[in-house]
Structures are given as structure tokens and as C-alpha cells.
Amino acid sequence: SKFKWVYHPVLQVHKHPKYTRGSGANYDLGLLILKSKITNVTPIPISRSKMEQSWIGKTVKVMGYGLTQTRPSFRSADRKYAADIPIYEITTNHFTHYDQKTKKSACHGDSGGPAFFKVKDKILVVGVTSVAYRATSAGQGRTYCDGGAISTRPDAHQDWLNPYLQRYGDGPEPCKVDKDCFACTTCQKN
């Protein structure tokens, strides 16, 4: 069945100040500030923990509304799709998810979608899908989505994200120790 689009008016649009078309996934982050809060969903927080090299080989769940097929023809999604894809490489500002065996991948239209990972028994957003990786060219700037994809790491951009989260978020996330805080620098005592 077709998914139903729900529209929410946007108040502000912010892109990472270091993002350029040539910066790849290093700074490929943007924020939309909505005119009013959405209260009928439970948000999934972004990761505050630095990605560790030990995560390589573990899987992230990549979600989006992008193409579901590129061969023999391009087919658009009729609903949200997800795929579990292994982490292949981690760099300072981004990471690559790439499954050499199954060729499952994020695809055109998935950009901006989340990559989820379980950190300390909590599902968090550890990446934002950005660009294709090792995919076969289909011409005209498209690929066949038979490689992997690279996601920008929100944990690496906390200095840029924090002011927006503090101003427009729901306040500091509950935490037990200061190092667990993200939108704050110390835990809020109730």
C-alpha cells in the first residue's frame, strides 16, 4: 500500500556551515526547525558516544524512502524501507556501511535518512545517509546502488548541533553522569 505523507510547516532551515558540494559526507548535515512541536511520535536521539573502531563489522539499520531497485529498471519506494548493513570503515566525520556479499545498500532518495545502532542497550541515530560508495555508474550522475553508502556522524558535529538542540529541543536528556549528556554539559538534577 502507498504511504501517507504528513506535512509539517518549517520555520527555519540550517545547513552545516562547512558543507559544500565538494565536502562529501564530512559535513553533510542539515536541520529543519518546525513551526510547532510534533507530539504524537517518540523521537530517537542522536548518539553522543564517539564511534569506535570496534564497531566495524557490526550492522547499522539504514532507513529511507529511496529507490528499491535500480536494475533492470529504477523503481521508487512505496513505503519506508530498512536494511541491516555492516559498518565497513569509520573516519573522523563519517562512516561507510557496505555489504560486499549481499550488495544491500542505501540508494537514491535515502539521503538524509538515519542509520541506527544500539549503543549501551539504546537505539540511537549514529549517521545521516549522504553519498554512494563503490557503486557502479548508471550515467547522468546516478549509480546502480550496488555498492555501499557513506553516512555523516552526528557525534562528530556536536559543537554545531548543541545550540539548536538546546534552543529548540525538549531540554536536556535525562542522564546519570555528565559524560552521558549531549544537549547539556552537566546532568540536570531533579
Side-chain angles (χ1 to χ4, degrees):
S1 68
K2 296 273 185 194
F3 53 82
K4 180 183 174 189
W5 289 102
V6 177
Y7 294 93
H8 298 279
V10 173
L11 178 67
Q12 298 173 12
V13 176
H14 300 277
K15 70 175 184 172
H16 195 291
K18 292 185 179 179
Y19 174 77
T20 64
R21 289 184 82 81
S23 64
N26 284 318
Y27 304 101
D28 195 2
L29 287 176
L31 284 168
L32 300 176
I33 308 298
L34 302 178
K35 285 186 179 180
S36 56
K37 288 185 183 268
I38 299 172
T39 58
N40 60 345
V41 296
T42 302
I44 298 173
I46 60 176
S47 177
R48 298 178 301 276
S49 300
K50 183 178 179 183
M51 289 189 91
E52 300 172 13
Q53 294 298 315
S54 64
W55 296 9
I56 293 174
K58 296 180 180 178
T59 60
V60 290
K61 184 174 291 293
V62 179
M63 288 190 156
Y65 294 92
L67 294 175
T68 58
Q69 173 184 303
T70 55
R71 289 183 183 168
S73 60
F74 290 91
R75 182 179 298 159
S76 296
D78 59 353
R79 61 186 167 89
K80 177 175 56 182
Y81 282 88
D84 293 323
I85 305 171
I87 296 171
Y88 180 74
E89 179 181 43
I90 299 171
T91 68
T92 303
N93 290 318
H94 61 269
F95 70 97
T96 305
H97 32 96
Y98 179 46
D99 192 332
Q100 295 172 292
K101 293 178 185 168
T102 68
K103 302 294 185 185
K104 287 189 290 186
S105 179
C107 202
H108 302 284
D110 289 330
S111 294
F116 299 110
F117 188 75
K118 189 178 265 190
V119 180
K120 299 177 186 173
D121 295 323
K122 188 174 184 180
I123 300 293
L124 300 172
V125 176
V126 296
V128 178
T129 302
S130 177
V131 296
Y133 176 78
R134 292 189 182 174
T136 307
S137 173
Q140 299 176 345
R142 294 184 105 175
T143 62
Y144 283 113
C145 303
D146 56 359
I150 302 173
S151 287
T152 308
R153 294 173 42 192
D155 69 287
H157 299 284
Q158 293 183 45
D159 289 346
W160 178 68
L161 290 167
N162 277 345
Y164 295 105
L165 296 174
Q166 288 174 343
R167 182 168 183 187
Y168 297 103
D170 291 328
E173 218 180 297
C175 55
K176 293 181 181 167
V177 294
D178 291 346
K179 70 180 179 69
D180 288 338
C181 288
F182 175 64
C184 58
T185 55
T186 57
C187 293
Q188 300 292 312
K189 309 291 187 221
N190 292 335

